[in-house]
């Protein structure tokens, strides 16, 4: 069986911890590979390599750093299909969706190629007599990233390209469920000319994560994953004096007003709820139907849901693939039965779905639950699967207070033809990313991504300007080239004249 290794100091390194995780092909349910879990010593070796590399990488010219990134972008472009195939093999999402993930990750590499413009700094001349002030941003040193299973290439690319463009060196701990894509990203970075030690990968579980959080030579940690772990990461990283951004889970609401184009809204609800089998932090998991839209909208969503083609991600005809593990699939399915018992109407029941020839795969059909009580677990929990809840409200005001009462605030969207209502929603809604007739408002690379409330712990969003701020620290320099007349003793606080 193939064993996936660490990538330390520019080469593959096998784990000697004796601990392994199983890596499945979710479409067949078979364990195809294993991944060696890092020991504390193995994490320390990765950090030592990153620390050694920082000496020259942190001081390398912008021209040298961006030359590597431009070559990297070209290599990624040439290997899109291969990376997407690795994602499909271990995550299960369909190939076209995996290609989309690679493209969205590459956006951040493209942003990183232009880092010279972003790091220009500021200069004020003659703030006082013969005094100039300049502000610059410098790298932090060794920084780390810990990433989830659902975007095994894109989420690591939200982090390391900008971090290394800013002059840091990086230690990545990818999800143990689908580790091959990020390993390949590191190999390609090396091929592009990234010096050894600038980007390291340690595979593993809580042992590796805890060592990263405690390690005295790691300055900052970016995390993306579920809310309970995000909270834990933030508290522990802060306790150890680190800068931290920890992005958590979500329950994204899509509000549909009575004046919306209901066919368009139904199409978008389907795409956003069931794409990638609902395993997206920006998936729409709740549709809030306002006024008398409910029956029409639910009817149109149900009609479309029943026609979705579910099958292996390698089959070009499949629109939705399997879930990540058998346990997760069964947990998602349990919410459908649970919701019925708690008062919801099951309009489409995807539980018990099998794909011919793939009976052991982790497949689940799509489910649509209507009139879901807000007390039901299906409404209250992040299900992270192809289960869409519909909640009905009489008015816009009721709908917005429902959304704002949610513990999460990642993404949200409004569907309407009324510009005034859309504007009001943008300003009133408590969420970090808002779509107007756009169901999955994942910002482009040059804007930042992040949620509110339990969807993000920390001050800065990820990538875009916030990402650059996160991976650099400010320094302000006040300079005087004195004239012979400028001396003299003065114990007063320096003032500007
Ligand atoms: P997860 O929290 O289980 O795992 C994320 C990372 O944390 C993995 O690398 C994992 O190995 C590590 N980890 C897991 N348990 C740990 C523990 N007890 N101690 C230390 N480290 C631990 O998340 P997941 O299941 O891989 O991913 C799905 C979750 O991620 C969903 O909740 C989804 O909403 C969220 N997510 C959020 C965003 C966002 O941008 N906000 C993006 C993608 C995914």
């Amino acid at each position: 069986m193939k064993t996936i290794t660490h990538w330390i100091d520019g080469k593959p390194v096998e784990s000697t911890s004796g601990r392994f995780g199983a890596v499945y092909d979710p479409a067949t349910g078979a364990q195809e590979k294993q991944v060696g879990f890092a020991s504390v010593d193995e994490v320390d070796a990765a950090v030592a390599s990153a620390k050694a590399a920082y000496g020259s990488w942190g001081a390398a010219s912008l021209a040298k750093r961006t030359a590597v990134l431009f070559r990297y972008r070209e290599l990624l472009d040439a290997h899109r299909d291969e990376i997407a195939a690795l994602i499909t093999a271990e995550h299960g999402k369909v190939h076209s969706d995996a290609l989309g993930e690679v493209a969205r990750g590459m956006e951040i590499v493209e942003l990183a190629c232009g880092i010279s413009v972003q790091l220009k700094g500021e200069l004020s001349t003659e703030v006082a007599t013969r005094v100039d002030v300049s502000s610059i941003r410098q790298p932090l040193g060794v920084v780390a990233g810990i990433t989830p299973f659902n975007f095994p290439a894109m989420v690591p690319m939200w982090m390391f390209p900008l971090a290394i463009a800013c002059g840091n060196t990086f230690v990545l701990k990818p999800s143990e469920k689908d580790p091959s894509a990020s390993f390949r990203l590191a190999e390609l970075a090396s091929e592009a000319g990234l010096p050894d030690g600038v980007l390291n990968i340690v595979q593993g579980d809580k042992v590796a994560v805890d060592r990263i959080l405690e390690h005295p030579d790691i300055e900052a940690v970016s995390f993306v994953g579920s809310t309970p772990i995000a909270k834990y990461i933030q508290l522990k990283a802060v306790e150890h004096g680190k800068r931290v951004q920890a992005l958590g889970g979500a329950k994204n609401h899509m509000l549909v007003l009575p004046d919306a184009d209901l066919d368009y809204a139904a199409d978008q609800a389907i795409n956003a709820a069931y794409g990638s089998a609902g395993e997206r932090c920006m998936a729409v998991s709740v549709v809030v139907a306002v006024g008398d839209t409910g029956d029409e909208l639910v009817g149109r969503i149900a009609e479309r849901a029943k026609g979705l083609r579910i099958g292996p991600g390698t089959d070009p005809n499949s629109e939705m693939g399997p879930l990540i593990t058998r346990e997760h699939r069964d947990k998602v399915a349990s919410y459908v039965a649970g919701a019925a018992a708690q008062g919801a109407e099951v309009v489409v029941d995807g539980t018990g779905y099998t794909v011919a020839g793939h009976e052991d795969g982790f497949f689940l059909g799509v489910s649509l639950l209507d009139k879901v009580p807000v007390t039901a677990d299906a409404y209250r929990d992040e299900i992270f699967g192809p289960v869409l809840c519909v909640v009905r409200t009489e008015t816009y005001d009721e709908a917005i207070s429902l959304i704002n009462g949610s513990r999460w605030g990642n993404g949200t969207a409004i569907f309407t033809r009324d510009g005034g209502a859309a504007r009001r929603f943008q300003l009133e809604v408590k969420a970090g990313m808002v779509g107007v007739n756009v169901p999955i408002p994942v910002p482009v690379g040059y804007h930042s991504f992040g949620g509110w409330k339990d969807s993000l712990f920390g001050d800065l969003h990820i990538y875009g300007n916030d990402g650059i701020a996160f991976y650099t620290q400010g320094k302000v320099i006040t300079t005087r080239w004195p004239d012979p007349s400028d001396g003299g003793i003065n114990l007063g606080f320096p003032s500007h004249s």
Side-chain angles (χ1 to χ4, degrees), residues 24-27 90-93 149 276-279 310 320-333 361-365 383-387:
Y24 293 93
D25 175 351
E90 295 177 4
H91 175 285
K93 66 177 74 174
F149 79 82
S276 197
E279 293 173 326
I310 302 167
M320 188 185 108
L323 278 78
I324 185 71
T325 58
R326 182 172 287 113
E327 295 70 32
H328 184 58
R329 189 264 317 269
D330 294 346
K331 185 171 173 210
V332 170
F362 309 144
F363 289 98
L364 187 65
I383 299 176
F384 219 56
V387 178

Side-chain angles (χ1 to χ4, degrees), residues 147-150 173 176 223-226 229 248-249 281 382 384 449:
T147 53
F149 79 82
N150 66 322
K173 204 302 280 175
E176 66 279 23
F223 171 87
V224 176
S226 60
I229 310 299
C281 67
E382 181 185 35
F384 219 56
F449 179 113

Side-chain angles (χ1 to χ4, degrees), residues 21-304:
V23 178
Y24 293 93
D25 175 351
T28 61
Q31 183 186 346
E32 297 287 350
K33 307 167 199 164
Q34 62 178 4
V35 56
F37 282 176
S39 62
V40 166
D41 287 347
E42 287 160 5
V43 175
D44 287 358
V47 177
S49 164
K51 191 176 177 187
Y54 179 66
S56 51
W57 183 251
S61 69
L62 284 166
K64 188 171 172 193
R65 297 207 299 255
T66 50
V68 174
L69 286 159
F70 274 106
R71 282 197 297 273
Y72 188 42
R73 195 258 166 221
E74 290 311 296
L75 277 175
L76 290 171
D77 187 35
H79 289 83
R80 279 173 200 259
D81 258 316
E82 182 201 339
I83 299 165
L86 286 172
I87 296 170
T88 298
E90 295 177 4
H91 175 285
K93 66 177 74 174
V94 298
H95 188 70
S96 55
D97 192 30
L99 276 173
E101 161 173 0
V102 176
R104 293 306 304 263
M106 283 176 60
E107 270 181 23
I108 314 303
V109 179
E110 287 156 6
L111 177 71
C113 287
I115 198 70
S116 319
V117 178
Q118 305 283 343
L119 290 184
K120 275 207 309 257
E122 296 170 337
L123 170 69
S124 301
T125 56
E126 209 66 10
V127 299
T129 307
R130 281 179 288 285
V131 177
D132 301 333
V133 176
S134 57
S135 296
I136 61 171
R137 297 203 68 87
Q138 293 189 304
L140 304 174
V142 180
V143 299
I146 300 157
T147 53
F149 79 82
N150 66 322
F151 284 105
M154 180 183 79
V155 172
M157 284 197 274
W158 282 358
M159 301 175 181
F160 73 79
L162 266 192
I164 64 178
C166 290
N168 303 284
T169 55
F170 205 90
V171 176
L172 172 69
K173 204 302 280 175
S175 171
E176 66 279 23
K177 297 192 177 96
D178 46 14
S180 291
S182 51
F183 183 89
R184 188 70 185 121
L185 293 178
E187 274 185 334
L188 289 172
S190 214
E191 215 177 294
L194 193 70
D196 294 348
V198 175
L199 174 60
N200 304 277
I201 298 196
V202 286
Q203 311 288 3
D205 58 357
K206 184 170 166 53
V207 171
V209 170
D210 284 347
R211 183 57 186 153
I212 285 171
L213 297 173
E214 287 163 5
H215 202 297
D217 291 335
I218 292 180
E219 305 297 333
V221 177
S222 298
F223 171 87
V224 176
S226 60
T227 290
I229 310 299
K231 259 188 197 166
Y232 168 77
I233 299 282
Q234 192 212 21
L235 289 175
K236 203 168 164 85
V238 167
E239 188 189 328
H240 288 86
K242 300 186 196 320
R243 186 178 286 201
V244 59
Q245 53 181 183
L247 282 71
K251 190 88 183 174
N252 305 307
H253 292 61
M254 167 174 160
L255 191 163
V256 183
L257 289 183
D259 71 341
D261 176 336
L262 292 190
D263 278 321
Y264 177 73
D267 285 345
Q268 299 307 319
I270 288 279
N271 297 341
Y274 304 130
S276 197
E279 293 173 326
R280 291 180 182 144
C281 67
M282 289 291 274
V284 163
S285 44
V286 182
V287 164
V288 186
V290 178
D292 59 4
T293 50
D295 290 348
E296 259 310 297
L297 186 60
V298 168
R300 293 182 201 201
I301 295 174
E303 189 188 297
R304 288 160 169 79

